């Protein structure tokens, strides 16, 4: 039995005028400590799948099993979620922001608070506790958001294009930081992205998604050498370009099959 | 200004000087309008080119004000009206916000009540005056109710719109921590809407003055609105204009106070 198993998930959105199937028969397994990416063009339902796994959205069909148990809603809090932007609350200080999860979950103790403060220091934001988000740069804010997510000690981390709003240099640095932080806690993580390079550099397994309706086209395993390297070093490894070509061709062929509508 | 060349420093100083000059010029014209307006008024009234019985004159108004300040009666009238207005607009804003929270909490209720809110908002609230007086009695409570009723519906609509406009991703962040609807409201929806609440406060100050003055027209035995209606009845327009002047000054002060409060809250 794998750590997280997605079983025959289908999801259909309804609007007044039509119904649109966003996902069809998604079946996948994720092992503990694995870093998995969902890669695909926009509109392939990858973010929808993330919301379903996080328990924020109820799928039309299928179920999610975590350690063999059905995941009903986000209430048990085992899922951490990082969005495209930091979404730190501008009227709260950094400290109030990163302790928010623990406060809501009623797990705020001097012990847990100290742990989070240490995490903030490890991630290079020492001394920003009493500052407000607007005083921080984009990269710093996204790091603070990572601390907020990790503070609640989730079993799985969902990363919904968390680097897409950053400039390239910050993005590369943050990729390394997130990658090594997650590895050091041996967290299981799912990354949603449309950036092929990012998916290859960061993950162990990549699921390629196709559109109309969203489905998994192919699953690509990243080579052992690349897995061991940090994202930045992985980008310079010779396996990287080969894998990039493979994934690129796969996505290209997808576009040809699907007629534009 | 650290270590810049003398040339840049010179032009920077020039720039500051121009700014100051412009500011002085604006102030000068503002004072000029003030002086010219009251001088012409005084002149027209003395020469009896306008009827001094109806339009009075600045000198008469000031001397009446001086008299009323000396016997202290103006303070009780003004105090009474200020008290009613503050109570009216605090009550109006508070009830409006609570109503908006109710609508946010029960989306179904907001859909059901939508047309009624539109009708209530369109209706001129001062027309409710006679009904309020019959229900609450001719006095203090009717006037305050008037000051509150006039601003409740518009407050509800504006603040509810602001509640709805909060970025859903903030709520998503909270929901991933398993937050209840109450926590979402307390941690995200309400604080995100503070600027909107403060700005309705500004509008409500003005509205409550209208409500309270009309209320005093109808029922009161004291207050600035009463002075106006009394002055009208005994044909003492100096009294009417003096009351109007005091209302204008106090309303401006109140508006500025709320404006100051807004700047302080938004800044932090």
């Amino acid at each position: 039995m794998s750590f997280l198993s997605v079983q025959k998930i289908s999801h259909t959105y309804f609007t007044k005028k039509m119904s649109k199937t966003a996902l069809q028969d998604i079946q996948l397994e994720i092992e503990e400590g694995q870093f998995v990416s969902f890669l695909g063009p926009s509109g392939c339902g990858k973010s929808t799948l993330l919301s379903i796994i996080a328990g924020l959205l109820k799928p039309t069909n299928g179920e999610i099993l975590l350690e063999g148990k059905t995941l009903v809603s986000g209430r048990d809090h085992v899922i951490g979620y990082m969005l495209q932007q930091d979404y730190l609350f501008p009227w709260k200080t950094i400290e109030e922001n990163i302790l928010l999860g623990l406060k809501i979950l009623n797990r705020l103790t001097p012990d847990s608070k100290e742990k989070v403060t240490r995490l903030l220091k490890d991630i290079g934001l020492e001394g920003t506790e009493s500052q407000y988000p607007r005083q921080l740069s984009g990269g710093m804010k996204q790091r603070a958001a990572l601390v907020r997510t990790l503070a609640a000690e989730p079993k799985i981390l969902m990363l919904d294009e968390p680097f897409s709003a950053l400039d390239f240099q910050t993005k590369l640095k943050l990729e390394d930081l997130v990658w090594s932080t997650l590895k050091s806690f041996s967290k299981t993580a799912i990354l949603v992205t449309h950036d092929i390079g990012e998916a290859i550099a960061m993950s162990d397994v990549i699921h390629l998604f196709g559109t109309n309706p969203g489905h998994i086209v192919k699953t690509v395993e990243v080579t052992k050498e690349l897995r061991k390297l940090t994202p930045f070093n992985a980008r310079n490894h010779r396996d990287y370009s080969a894998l990039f070509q493979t994934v690129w061709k796969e996505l290209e062929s997808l576009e040809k099959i699907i007629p534009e509508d | 200004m650290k270590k810049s060349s003398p040339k840049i420093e010179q032009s920077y100083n020039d720039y500051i000087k121009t700014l100051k000059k412009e500011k002085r010029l604006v102030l000068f014209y503002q004072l000029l309008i003030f002086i010219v307006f009251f001088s012409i008024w005084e002149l027209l009234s003395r020469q009896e080119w306008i009827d001094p019985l109806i339009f009075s004159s600045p000198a008469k108004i000031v001397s009446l004000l001086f008299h009323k300040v000396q016997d202290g009666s103006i303070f009780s009238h003004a105090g009474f009206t200020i008290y009613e207005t503050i109570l009216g607009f605090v009550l109006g804003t508070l009830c409006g916000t609570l109503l908006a929270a109710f609508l946010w909490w029960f989306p179904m209720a907001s859909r059901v009540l939508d047309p009624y809110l539109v009708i209530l908002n369109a209706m001129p609230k001062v027309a409710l005056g006679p009904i309020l007086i019959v229900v609450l009695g001719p006095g203090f409570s009717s006037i305050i109710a008037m000051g509150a009723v006039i601003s409740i519906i518009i407050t509800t609509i504006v603040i509810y719109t602001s509640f709805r406009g909060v970025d859903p991703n903030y709520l998503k962040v909270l929901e991933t921590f398993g937050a209840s609807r109450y926590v979402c409201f307390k941690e995200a929806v309400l604080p995100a809407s503070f600027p909107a609440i403060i700005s309705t406060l500004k509008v409500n100050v003005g509205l409550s003055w209208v409500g309270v003055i009309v209320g005093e027209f109808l029922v009161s035995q004291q207050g600035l609105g009463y002075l106006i209606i009394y002055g009208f009845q005994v044909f003492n327009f100096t009294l009417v204009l003096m009351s109007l002047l005091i209302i204008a000054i106090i309303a401006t002060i109140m508006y500025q106070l709320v404006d100051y409060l807004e700047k302080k809250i938004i800044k932090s």
Side-chain angles (χ1 to χ4, degrees):
Chain A
M1 193 78 227
S2 56
F3 183 62
L4 181 92
S5 120
V6 173
Q7 300 199 324
K8 296 217 169 221
I9 291 281
S10 296
H11 191 70
T12 309
Y13 285 110
F14 297 105
T15 65
K16 238 183 211 170
K17 284 182 189 140
M18 53 162 208
S19 66
K20 186 180 188 302
T21 304
L23 292 168
Q24 196 160 41
D25 281 338
I26 303 290
Q27 181 92 31
L28 57 92
E29 309 279 319
I30 296 169
E31 301 304 324
E32 189 160 15
Q34 224 175 14
F35 197 118
V36 176
S37 283
F38 295 165
L39 181 67
S42 55
C44 68
K46 50 195 194 307
S47 286
T48 307
L49 182 57
L50 214 56
S51 290
I52 290 172
I53 297 174
L56 298 173
L57 198 67
K58 203 179 163 347
T60 321
N61 275 310
E63 60 176 352
I64 309 284
L65 296 176
L66 184 79
E67 294 173 318
K69 278 177 277 177
T70 314
L71 204 64
V72 187
S73 74
R75 287 292 148 91
D76 324 319
H77 191 69
V78 283
I79 310 283
Y81 210 103
M82 239 178 122
L83 298 159
Q84 280 172 32
Q85 277 160 41
D86 53 82
Y87 289 106
L88 296 171
F89 293 85
W91 53 85
K92 288 180 189 289
T93 61
I94 295 300
E95 184 171 38
E96 285 165 347
N97 264 300
I98 59 175
L99 293 175
L100 186 65
L102 290 174
K103 198 177 125 192
I104 292 171
L105 292 161
N106 275 325
R107 293 207 320 241
L108 192 58
T109 59
D111 249 15
S112 65
K113 192 179 163 178
E114 209 212 293
K115 232 176 173 174
V116 176
T117 316
R118 213 178 315 132
L119 192 59
L120 191 73
K121 191 181 150 190
D122 290 343
I123 216 150
L125 290 176
E126 200 181 3
T128 57
E129 287 93 335
S130 57
Q131 284 181 314
Y132 285 92
R134 71 185 126 79
Q135 293 169 282
L136 271 55
S137 70
M140 285 163 94
K141 278 192 269 194
Q142 198 57 295
R143 274 189 274 167
L146 177 67
V147 175
R148 175 172 69 184
T149 311
L150 289 175
E153 298 185 329
K155 286 189 176 162
I156 305 183
L157 211 68
M158 309 275 168
L159 307 163
D160 193 352
E161 301 189 26
F163 312 113
S164 58
L166 301 168
D167 63 83
F168 195 65
Q169 255 178 307
T170 313
K171 171 188 151 109
L172 290 182
K173 279 187 203 157
L174 215 56
E175 276 178 17
D176 270 19
L177 186 72
V178 169
W179 184 86
S180 44
T181 308
L182 294 185
K183 287 284 170 227
S184 71
F185 290 108
S186 20
K187 289 273 183 227
T188 313
I190 305 174
L191 171 74
V192 160
T193 183
H194 50 244
D195 181 337
I196 303 172
E198 186 174 289
I200 295 170
M202 292 193 80
S203 34
D204 305 325
V205 176
I206 303 170
H207 294 289
L208 294 175
F209 277 67
T211 48
N212 285 341
H215 61 288
I216 297 178
V217 181
K218 201 178 175 183
T219 300
V220 180
E221 296 249 347
V222 176
T223 57
K224 279 208 178 89
E225 282 91 50
L226 279 183
R227 287 187 200 182
K228 274 182 260 162
L229 296 172
T230 63
F232 188 81
N233 291 329
R235 281 174 193 269
N236 294 320
H237 195 271
R238 65 190 145 75
D239 287 358
Y240 174 85
S241 342
L243 205 52
F244 194 99
Q245 288 301 328
T246 319
V247 174
W248 174 263
K249 275 183 194 140
E250 200 65 52
L251 288 174
E252 278 279 276
S253 67
L254 267 179
E255 264 173 40
K256 276 171 204 149
I257 301 164
I258 295 154
E260 290 290 320
D261 53 3
Chain B
M1 291 293 288
K2 265 195 298 180
K3 272 198 179 177
S4 53
S5 71
K7 203 174 168 190
I8 288 175
E9 203 155 320
Q10 176 61 37
S11 41
Y12 173 74
N13 285 339
D14 286 350
Y15 172 70
I16 295 293
K17 255 183 219 162
T18 353
L19 280 188
K20 275 185 184 160
K21 214 168 145 191
E22 268 171 26
K23 210 176 158 188
R24 270 203 301 267
L25 205 66
V26 169
L27 196 67
F28 169 74
Y29 280 117
Q30 285 170 340
L31 272 174
L32 191 72
I33 290 173
F34 183 83
I35 292 164
V36 166
F37 176 74
F38 283 101
S39 314
I40 291 180
W41 184 2
E42 184 71 38
L43 184 76
L44 291 176
S45 177
R46 288 215 178 167
Q47 301 294 326
E48 301 213 351
W49 289 335
I50 55 173
D51 189 345
L53 200 61
I54 297 172
F55 293 103
S56 189
S57 80
K60 276 195 219 160
I61 292 171
V62 170
S63 89
L64 179 67
L65 182 62
F66 194 66
H67 178 71
K68 292 266 182 199
V69 168
Q70 262 183 336
D71 71 9
S73 64
I74 197 64
F75 296 115
S76 71
H77 284 298
F80 191 66
T81 305
I82 292 171
Y83 180 57
E84 287 166 342
T85 308
I86 291 177
L87 225 65
F89 100 90
V90 167
L91 222 64
T93 312
L94 212 66
C95 293
T97 310
L98 285 177
L99 213 60
F102 170 80
L103 293 180
W104 182 83
W105 204 280
F106 303 105
M108 192 62 194
S110 86
R111 284 182 61 188
V112 172
L113 294 176
D114 184 60
Y116 296 103
L117 281 177
V118 173
I119 292 168
L120 284 174
N121 186 43
M123 187 184 65
K125 262 69 69 182
V126 287
L128 289 173
I131 299 167
L132 286 177
I133 291 163
V134 172
V135 175
L136 298 169
F140 187 63
S141 20
S142 288
I143 300 171
I144 289 173
M146 197 77 158
V149 156
I150 205 166
S151 57
I152 284 180
I153 301 298
I154 188 68
T155 306
T156 307
I157 291 173
V158 171
I159 293 181
Y160 175 62
T161 310
S162 152
F163 282 171
R164 294 271 312 266
V166 173
D167 193 329
N169 283 312
Y170 282 119
L171 301 180
K172 197 171 181 180
V173 167
L174 294 173
E175 276 165 18
T176 59
F177 294 126
S180 63
R181 204 156 165 78
Y182 169 71
V183 172
C184 285
F185 183 76
K186 194 184 75 167
E187 298 288 347
V189 174
L190 189 63
S193 302
F194 262 137
I197 293 174
I198 298 285
S199 72
T200 60
L201 220 57
K202 253 159 119 176
V203 177
N204 290 352
V205 171
L207 284 176
S208 292
W209 274 100
V210 176
V212 164
I213 296 298
V214 171
E216 286 184 351
F217 279 3
L218 293 175
V219 295
S220 185
Q221 286 85 44
Q222 53 178 333
L224 296 167
Y226 161 76
L227 285 186
I228 290 176
I229 213 77
Y230 174 75
F232 164 65
Q233 280 160 356
V234 300
F235 223 74
N236 180 356
F237 277 89
T238 308
L239 184 62
V240 173
L241 286 165
M242 183 204 73
S243 310
L244 210 61
L245 194 74
I246 295 173
I247 291 171
I249 292 169
I250 300 173
T252 309
I253 291 172
M254 266 167 102
Y255 183 86
Q256 292 293 338
L257 281 177
V258 176
D259 192 51
Y260 174 75
L261 189 78
E262 178 179 21
K263 278 189 188 130
K264 260 204 118 161
I265 287 181
I266 305 286
K267 221 173 114 190
S268 62

